Amino acid sequence: MARVKAMRSYLGYINYLGRLPKKSAWLVRQAGFTITEVLLASSMMVIVISVAGIGVINLLRSDYRANADSEIQNNLNRTLEFVSDEVRRAKIIPDSEAAIMTDKLPEGARAVLAFQILNPSNPGQFLPNQLVYYTTSPGPESSLTGPRILWRYGPNLDANGNYITPADVATWISSPVTDRLAAPAPAPDGICPEDFNLIAVNPNPVVDGFYACVRAGGNQVILNANAEVNLTTGDTDKVDYSVSTRVSPRATCEIFCLVPPPGSTNPTLPIVTMPANVTAKVIQGNCASCTVATIGPPNGTGTVRQKGAMGSTVQADAGDGIRIDVNDLLSNFSWTPPYQVDVYTSDSSDSPRNLDNNQVLFVFTTTTTVPNSYQVLVTITPR
């Protein structure tokens, strides 16, 4: 009986041991991943991270490009809006580069647009100097970005966009308008519509990132701005932008305006604002050798277009000046004491004669012991 009990205890112990977890299996479960499993998991993680990283980079790149597109396009639009606002104040707009005053521009500058503005103190008279837009390349120490930069030479502006002392030409300055404009390139055929002239160097026209097409006669301008931007450090992501607009001047001179001739402050030089026929007639005095001439811009300092005797008709284009010479003694361009020149228009309250809005009366007077006076009536008929 005792032997039977001992056998049962032994068998129970054996069964107990059989129910215990085997040491080898426990050790296998605690050993971790194999090298193959680790390499496979690492490869999959690298692939996932690479795909996600490329997606994030592309997303950031697209967002940067969209913001850059919007900023550059808005900058070009603001540039054209600024220039258009000034063109609306202009009246005489040269339709060729040869008619633009470039003596105030730096060396290497290329004039792209110019015009004369009315004197705010006397809206019937032009200011003698031209307001000029021009382009340059950035200098070695410039903070502005090329390839080209648009500049403006003219009177300074206050916070409301009004001219500051425009009549004092000594205060006129050059200031940058915008940068990142496209590099110079040969102008393609038909770059400007029919009846419009490209302001460019002839006979091999070259256009910058900013250029203008001016209608013959200067009564409308097409402004064009092109930007060239690298979105990366190399040339692999170069993007071009372009905007264009048409604008017409709104100044008050309908047929002509009076400006001072070169070297004078007295406005005695009529500048026609549209193509016209000009007729001059002596209505007082003996003027056997008096002549009338039309002279090209700027401000009648260009070439003589046509010249004739009193009573004849000469032709003038927009921007031409009208010169009257009296007996080889004096003219409305220049005179010295004892001579005097007075000019009257239909707006003059003290005119000795009634005048139409297309007429100018010149009164040439000598203040010698025996005074002498000549009166020349000029009629400007638009054609």
Side-chain angles (χ1 to χ4, degrees), residues 216-227:
N219 60 354
Q220 191 176 59
V221 179
I222 302 175
L223 303 174
N224 305 272
N226 301 318

Side-chain angles (χ1 to χ4, degrees), residues 221-235:
V221 179
I222 302 175
L223 303 174
N224 305 272
N226 301 318
E228 183 180 274
V229 180
N230 289 329
L231 297 180
T232 57
T233 54
D235 291 335

